[in-house]
Amino acid sequence: MRLILASASPRRLDLLARIGVIPDEIVPADIDESVPAGELPRDHALRLAREKAMAIAAEHPNDLVLAADTVVAVGRRILPKVEDEATLRVCMRLLSGRRHRVLTGIALAAPGQPLRTRLGETMIAMKRLSDDEMDYYASHGEWRGKAGGYALQGYGEVYVRQIAGSYSNVVGLPLAETRLLLKSAGYPIA
């Protein structure tokens, strides 16, 4: 049974390797990731994961297709994937001294089976950040392309006071949920 990962994220590939899963192919999905007005963070993460899985499954109907999307949310507000320093600073000020959620929607398309989905959710408490701390973090550049602008597996970890839930979810793929999805579709995993 071939497995396609519908993501270009090196973090997701590394996380899958931790549970002994090496995709046969990586085919990133190119979909519109904009947030429609009123869409809640959990619905957004699940919708994007479903759309990515279905887009790649349409091109590879005989393979398993695993897709995921990670969203950082403060209340009902979905933070963007940060591409510039100005947006990073807006996100950091919003996260500073507050709790936020990291949600990862996962979808698995399997031939002849209904689309399966799961949601990982982790609560994070960020310390209050000084301007010097924001400058220091901005100087490292690891935030580029990251939802909410920080990487828990990198320099961003130093600013986290508390984490409740799956660490791998925050990095980009909740492993317990992913393993269950793969097993339920008959993928050979321990």
Side-chain angles (χ1 to χ4, degrees), residues 11 21 38 48-49 71 74 86-87 89 102 105-106 110-111 121 137 140 174 181 183-184 188:
R11 292 168 308 283
V21 174
L48 291 182
V71 171
V74 177
T87 305
R89 290 181 183 276
V102 178
I106 316 157
E121 183 170 352
Y137 188 68
H140 289 287
L181 273 182
K183 279 186 76 97
S184 72

Side-chain angles (χ1 to χ4, degrees), residues 19 108 116 118 174-186 189:
I19 57 172
L108 182 67
R116 293 172 167 81
R118 291 261 196 257
L175 292 179
E177 290 85 349
T178 301
R179 184 178 167 279
L180 287 172
L181 273 182
L182 290 168
K183 279 186 76 97
S184 72
I189 188 169

Side-chain angles (χ1 to χ4, degrees), residues 38-162:
E39 187 171 51
L40 297 174
R42 88 181 6 233
D43 298 333
H44 183 67
L46 283 168
R47 178 180 62 79
L48 291 182
R50 278 192 305 269
E51 287 182 9
K52 289 175 180 181
M54 290 186 305
I56 301 306
E59 300 168 11
H60 300 271
N62 298 317
D63 298 322
L64 285 177
V65 176
L66 178 67
D69 195 82
T70 300
V71 171
V72 174
V74 177
R76 297 172 70 137
R77 183 175 179 175
I78 298 170
L79 294 158
K81 286 185 180 172
V82 176
E83 297 298 340
D84 60 72
E85 195 170 324
T87 305
L88 170 68
R89 290 181 183 276
V90 168
C91 288
M92 291 186 84
R93 284 188 185 93
L94 188 60
L95 295 170
S96 177
R98 299 180 71 176
R99 293 181 186 276
H100 64 277
R101 292 175 298 144
V102 178
L103 304 142
T104 300
I106 316 157
L108 182 67
Q113 299 178 26
L115 187 72
R116 293 172 167 81
T117 60
R118 291 261 196 257
L119 181 77
E121 183 170 352
T122 305
M123 186 68 71
I124 300 215
M126 190 78 75
K127 73 177 284 307
R128 184 162 303 283
L129 301 171
S130 69
D131 287 340
D132 287 342
E133 288 169 324
M134 287 186 212
D135 291 343
Y136 175 76
Y137 188 68
S139 72
H140 289 287
E142 73 180 10
W143 45 267
R144 197 169 301 279
K146 304 282 191 304
Y150 76 94
L152 186 62
Q153 71 277 18
Y155 293 99
E157 184 175 14
V158 74
Y159 304 128
V160 172
R161 284 191 355 250
Q162 184 179 35

Side-chain angles (χ1 to χ4, degrees), residues 2-25:
R2 284 178 34 90
L3 175 66
I4 295 175
L5 176 61
S7 172
S9 167
R11 292 168 308 283
R12 289 194 178 114
L13 195 57
D14 290 344
L15 287 167
L16 283 171
R18 290 184 191 176
I19 57 172
V21 174
I22 308 297
D24 296 289
E25 192 173 350

